[in-house]
Amino acid sequence: METSGKCAVCDAECKLKCTACKCVSYCGIEHQKKDWKTHKLECRPLEIAHSDELGRYVRASRDIKAKSVIFTEAPLIAGPKWCMDDYERQEPIFPCVGCFRPVRIGDLGCPKCNWPICSPTCEGLENPQFHGLECAVLRTARPIQDKSNIKSLLDHYRSEALLTLRCVLLQLKYPQKWKQLLELESHEEDRKGTKYFEEAEQRIVSYLKANYLDKINAESLKTEGRNLIPNCESKDLHRLCGIMEVNALNVNLPTGVEICALYPTACLLEHSCMPNCFYTFDFTKHYKITMIAGRDIKKGENLSIMYTHMLWGTQMRHEHLMTNKYFVCKCPRCADPTELGTYISALKCIGPEEEIACGGTLLPKDPHDDDTEWFCDKCPVRIANNQVKFLLSNIEEEVDALMFERETTVKQLEDLIEKLKQFLHPNHFHIFSLKHSLIQRYGTQIGYSSAELSEEMLKRKIDMCNELLSIVDVIDPYAIRLSLYTGIILYELQLATVEYEKRKITAAKENNEPYDYEELYNAEGYLRRAKCVLENNVDIPQGKKFIEAVVRSSENLETLFEQIKL
């Protein structure tokens, strides 16, 4: 919207307006680039603060409306995942060093350094923010002798070391980014002796020094009397690994490859198990991040995202945060043994030995204590935490084994749910994941199509959807983190509701009886809400898929309304 006014710098007449703060903008003649960039930073609705408990954090400098863009920024650095599981290290698939497309290792190499690429014309090969930054370093390694040996290739080309190398090289090409990078928390002392520290030493630090950095600096000391690449001793590299471990955000690309990126402001947002912000990535603009308000945020409120999975139980979330981020979450959900009344971590009490089960619920006495005792809310039973962990570990293995099967059947899911109900609360997160998978198979799997489902099974699906919805509505009421889960539940709920109501309409016509249209109107509401919450997932393939399905279902429901002349 245009408005006349004075330029804030030179008093010239100006018709531009800042979209963020609505103030009169700069005229853009002499000072457009420098001062407009400064103004955009100044008028963001946030401020960076510091506390002894949180370190640097971000809070709202004015009221922010839900779904407002809070800020957008480019990454300081982006690259392949810095930490890989054993099975990933054995896969012959490698992210192209220029654009991260998955390629088969050994098939095609960069013309200069021979690291895996998708094409010799890949734009990222010359980009100084990507492969162009490290290519000159990578070409100094000894050439690999046996290119037919996959194991040798995987050991020679370690993709998890590239992000650390790119960080090191920032100081040579982008000193301001290097300065911002070093301002991020690394928890150097906390990391020592941990699994991630040892892996970083073996897979990244010693690898980079032995194959590249020590050799380059030794040569430059001889010829120039100085290190060509400073700040690359073991302690420096471990500090960078710590910065990545604590701050890096995972970026899931449309190709299925997962990369990591570090952002100057986004990495400062604190964790909350009930966050007030979410973010999206722009894959066409080098992984720019856009931070969005998930709900109305008041001035002075801390901005937060979630570092763990919202559908994990409290102890799993705490373990992840302590292992990777080195802090304990003390949010209201974590402090409540019932997790806000959802009982998503609760167990079923089996009662004292040789007695009939009391039907009570087992809860942790102190959710913040890793050694806490679990107590029953109906009988005197107490269980040690190590017993609970052993039980849940076995259950997790069984659930994962089934969920990762290529052809998991309705019967398998139903049987495992019934089995686990003997030990877990019906709302437990393991049962939640099984039910969420099950509702998507009711109506699609062979033998369970919508037309084949009995009214009893349709009703079971409707009840199950409502059970899942009652949980997500409590732990994520604004669909900030679980928007895809919530959208799928709502979509499946309307499918089952419409099919169930179609049969009631047919029966009403056959018996010449009136029909109550309330549930069809409810189904229409489920679709509207699903479309709304799925808007947060337009940048991922699964999100787009379900939005398209919701649109089709809306059109089908509209046709149904016309047929019955509503």
Side-chain angles (χ1 to χ4, degrees), residues 475-500:
I475 62 175
D476 193 19
Y478 301 98
I480 291 173
R481 183 77 175 190
L482 299 177
S483 53
L484 187 57
Y485 281 87
T486 305
I488 290 172
I489 294 168
L490 289 164
Y491 171 73
E492 295 295 341
L493 177 56
Q494 69 81 27
L495 282 179
T497 299
V498 169
E499 179 62 31
Y500 189 77

Side-chain angles (χ1 to χ4, degrees), residues 55-115:
R56 290 196 302 156
Y57 66 97
V58 185
R59 65 188 176 204
S61 59
R62 58 175 179 265
D63 290 350
I64 305 173
K65 288 289 185 184
K67 298 195 175 181
S68 298
V69 171
I70 301 173
F71 65 87
T72 298
E73 64 182 357
L76 294 172
I77 200 77
K81 285 172 62 177
W82 61 272
C83 182
M84 298 169 65
D85 295 321
D86 288 339
Y87 78 90
E88 291 177 297
R89 295 190 184 116
Q90 297 167 16
E91 289 288 331
I93 303 302
F94 195 99
C96 167
V97 292
C99 65
F100 310 121
R101 287 190 185 94
V103 296
R104 186 172 178 82
I105 195 166
D107 281 1
L108 194 62
C110 169
K112 296 176 182 177
C113 69
N114 208 38
W115 274 61

Side-chain angles (χ1 to χ4, degrees), residues 76-80 94-100 115-116 124-125 127-135 137-138 159-174 177-178 181 204 208 213 237 240 244 259-260 262 287:
L76 294 172
I77 200 77
F94 195 99
C96 167
V97 292
C99 65
F100 310 121
W115 274 61
L125 297 186
N127 190 325
Q129 297 187 59
F130 295 98
H131 186 59
L133 195 62
E134 78 246 353
C135 187
V137 172
L138 296 177
S159 66
E160 68 258 51
L162 287 183
L163 190 55
T164 304
L165 179 58
R166 290 181 181 184
C167 287
V168 170
L169 298 178
L170 276 180
Q171 60 187 312
L172 305 181
K173 186 76 176 177
Y174 303 101
K177 286 187 176 184
W178 171 252
L181 180 74
I204 298 175
L208 287 176
L213 302 176
L237 298 180
L240 295 175
M244 287 183 289
I259 66 169
C260 289
L262 289 160
Y287 320 110

Side-chain angles (χ1 to χ4, degrees), residues 189-203:
E189 293 303 315
D190 295 324
R191 291 184 69 249
K192 289 179 179 177
T194 66
K195 179 187 79 169
Y196 290 120
F197 183 91
E198 297 303 326
E199 286 188 354
E201 173 61 37
Q202 295 172 20
R203 298 289 305 176

